[in-house]
Amino acid sequence: MSRVILGLFVYCLVTIPAFLGLALVAQLARVTWAKRASEAVLITGVAALIPVVLDRALEKPVLWAGVVLLVVLLVVGVVMHVKSYTRPS
């Protein structure tokens, strides 16, 4: 199980520069595909971080607030990403 958690943590770390690069391309080139790709990368990074923090929260109960905040961030991110398809970019 710890290899899976480590893999998810590494994936979360990789999504940070990927998100920043895609967001920079979206801002400079004003292309919709880069904006949506950066949103998707951010959402998957947050989703990958939830089990990592949840695993640590079983040992340290103070981290349950972090788990709740990550879940809220994930839900809000998914809702905003889905809404972006209905509005013109």
Side-chain angles (χ1 to χ4, degrees):
M1 184 67 172
S2 66
R3 291 186 107 174
V4 173
I5 297 297
L6 179 63
L8 288 172
F9 181 68
V10 169
Y11 175 77
C12 180
L13 290 178
V14 168
T15 60
I16 295 168
F19 166 74
L20 291 174
L22 285 167
L24 183 64
V25 169
Q27 192 69 20
L28 294 176
R30 304 259 188 236
V31 288
T32 306
W33 65 266
K35 179 182 179 220
R36 292 192 176 145
S38 68
E39 291 171 354
V41 167
L42 180 65
I43 289 170
T44 60
V46 170
L49 191 59
I50 290 174
V52 174
V53 177
L54 187 62
D55 183 52
R56 295 292 295 162
L58 295 175
E59 299 168 9
K60 297 183 179 188
V62 75
L63 291 175
W64 281 105
V67 173
V68 171
L69 288 173
L70 282 172
V71 170
V72 168
L73 181 65
L74 179 66
V75 170
V76 169
V78 169
V79 167
M80 290 178 66
H81 182 70
V82 169
K83 281 185 177 182
S84 75
Y85 284 99
T86 59
R87 320 178 234 139
S89 295

